[in-house]
Amino acid sequence: MKKVLVVCGATASGKTGFAVEMAKRLGGEVVSADCMLVYRGLNIGTAKPTEEEKGGIVHHMIDVAEPTRSYSVGDYEESALPIVENILKRGKVPVICGGTGFYIQSLCFSRGHGSVGADEKVRRKYEKIAAEQGNLAVYRMLERVDWESAQKLHPNDLKRVIRALEIFELTGKKKSEQQDGFVPRFPYLAVAFNMPREELYDRINRRVDDMLAQGLVEEVRDLVGKGLNETCQSMQGIGYKEVYEYLKNNISYSTMRDIIQQNTRNYAKRQITFFKKFPNLIWLDPHAKDNVQRVTEAMYADD
């Protein structure tokens, strides 16, 4: 069975536990696809799985970057894709698990840059702007002409930011409108839990309460003590940026809690919207007793 299993969907929908169960059933290893789990030291606010929760299953792409580092989709693809390929080569099943849609997309699909050629003069122009005004200035330029492409990139992913600007300048069309040809790299089965919105929001609210009870404020205070601040990409994560504002005495504790819950619910909404467009995604009833068996049969269906 040379097939990859993708367990995706909204935050707090039960992805981690299900991915572990499927890895046990299929003889697989989990490859995390979460833009916050890559950071060392960010544990509580990211709901990073404990050793017990990992259930003895090998997990990849967790704790691979210092929290001071900017980490892009390109960085993730460069590190995670060889891991997926190696798992397949060893005859095991990669179980890609996470809610960062662009991370999952980068693993499952190869994508080109259309048929648009390169122009060194254009590239040098933007490289000069970046050198003089910073990467963020170039990124803001992309946001103005192609907001959708900008959302897929980190400001420090300069090469891809400039490429998107280059395409727009040469064609007058956004890169996001180009036919880049998303071609599956390998056979995959993608599943997500179709959880009722009210139930999902209740789970999110309770998870935030649990995180605060577990010591989220103390975790952020410790990170700040190590030199992290609001300019770090890691500290822009939901839960971390709000606690940071609380520690600066800009908001009250109850306001902080309410904002984390609201921002997390909004994020879940965006995740659901993204994954609704994911090709061939199977939506599972979160309360069905036979999900593990159903997905196992689907993984072997074409053998």
Side-chain angles (χ1 to χ4, degrees):
M1 175 179 53
K2 289 276 188 176
K3 196 182 287 186
V4 172
L5 175 62
V6 177
V7 180
C8 57
T11 186
S13 62
K15 299 185 298 292
T16 300
F18 188 70
V20 167
E21 283 303 308
M22 290 309 309
K24 288 178 180 177
R25 175 67 72 96
L26 299 170
E29 298 177 9
V30 173
V31 181
S32 170
D34 186 299
C35 63
M36 295 301 291
L37 291 188
V38 299
Y39 290 113
R40 300 184 189 98
L42 279 70
N43 302 321
I44 298 172
T46 61
K48 192 171 287 179
T50 63
E51 290 305 313
E52 184 180 355
E53 288 168 335
K54 290 178 184 176
I57 297 297
V58 175
H59 280 61
H60 302 272
M61 296 307 296
I62 295 176
D63 292 336
V64 296
E66 292 300 326
T68 50
R69 179 185 170 190
S70 293
Y71 202 85
S72 69
V73 176
D75 294 324
Y76 176 80
E77 180 183 343
E78 186 177 341
S79 296
L81 183 57
I83 292 172
V84 172
E85 292 171 340
N86 180 260
I87 295 171
L88 286 168
K89 191 185 296 183
R90 288 187 279 115
K92 288 182 165 288
V93 177
V95 181
I96 300 170
C97 175
T100 304
F102 293 127
Y103 275 21
I104 295 173
Q105 199 175 64
S106 77
L107 293 187
C108 291
F109 303 99
S110 59
R111 59 202 188 285
H113 294 298
S115 57
V116 181
D119 189 313
E120 284 302 316
K121 189 185 294 184
V122 172
R123 290 187 182 183
R124 283 198 297 270
K125 177 181 73 175
Y126 290 116
E127 286 169 356
K128 187 169 186 287
I129 294 171
E132 293 174 352
Q133 302 176 36
N135 293 353
L136 189 59
V138 181
Y139 182 79
R140 295 292 183 224
M141 295 172 76
L142 178 61
E143 279 188 322
R144 286 194 288 274
V145 299
D146 187 357
W147 188 88
E148 188 174 350
S149 289
Q151 299 316 296
K152 300 178 182 180
L153 301 170
H154 187 270
N156 289 333
D157 196 356
L158 188 62
K159 184 178 178 181
R160 285 186 170 89
V161 170
I162 289 177
R163 176 57 179 162
L165 282 164
E166 180 184 35
I167 288 172
F168 181 79
E169 192 160 322
L170 294 177
T171 67
K173 293 182 179 180
K174 302 173 184 178
K175 180 183 179 300
S176 55
E177 296 173 344
Q178 301 284 329
Q179 295 300 312
D180 280 357
F182 277 68
V183 180
R185 296 184 194 271
F186 28 64
Y188 71 85
L189 176 74
V191 299
F193 287 119
N194 188 21
M195 189 166 287
R197 196 66 60 96
E198 190 175 316
E199 181 181 349
L200 178 63
Y201 286 176
D202 182 59
R203 285 170 64 101
I204 286 171
N205 292 342
R206 284 189 281 115
R207 174 183 273 192
V208 171
D209 287 338
D210 288 344
M211 287 175 173
L212 290 169
Q214 289 166 22
L216 178 58
V217 172
E218 289 71 23
E219 179 172 271
V220 177
R221 185 180 286 121
D222 182 57
L223 291 167
V224 172
K226 292 176 178 175
L228 273 72
N229 56 42
E230 74 271 22
T231 66
C232 298
Q233 182 182 334
S234 62
M235 293 295 282
Q236 288 302 307
I238 298 172
Y240 291 90
K241 59 185 176 182
E242 296 87 356
V243 173
Y244 186 81
E245 288 302 306
Y246 165 71
L247 292 175
K248 285 169 60 180
N249 296 314
N250 288 342
I251 55 177
S252 68
Y253 185 90
S254 60
T255 299
M256 170 195 72
R257 170 185 171 272
D258 292 346
I259 295 175
I260 294 173
Q261 291 176 333
Q262 181 63 60
N263 288 345
T264 308
R265 293 194 300 269
N266 290 342
Y267 177 55
K269 211 182 299 183
R270 294 194 299 273
Q271 288 174 302
I272 292 167
T273 299
F274 181 96
F275 287 115
K276 277 182 176 176
K277 300 174 185 174
F278 199 87
N280 305 314
L281 180 68
I282 297 171
W283 291 94
L284 302 173
D285 177 353
H287 304 297
K289 306 279 190 200
D290 63 344
N291 281 327
V292 171
Q293 184 60 32
R294 181 184 170 195
V295 173
T296 301
E297 289 173 359
M299 286 292 287
Y300 283 101
D302 300 324
D303 283 9

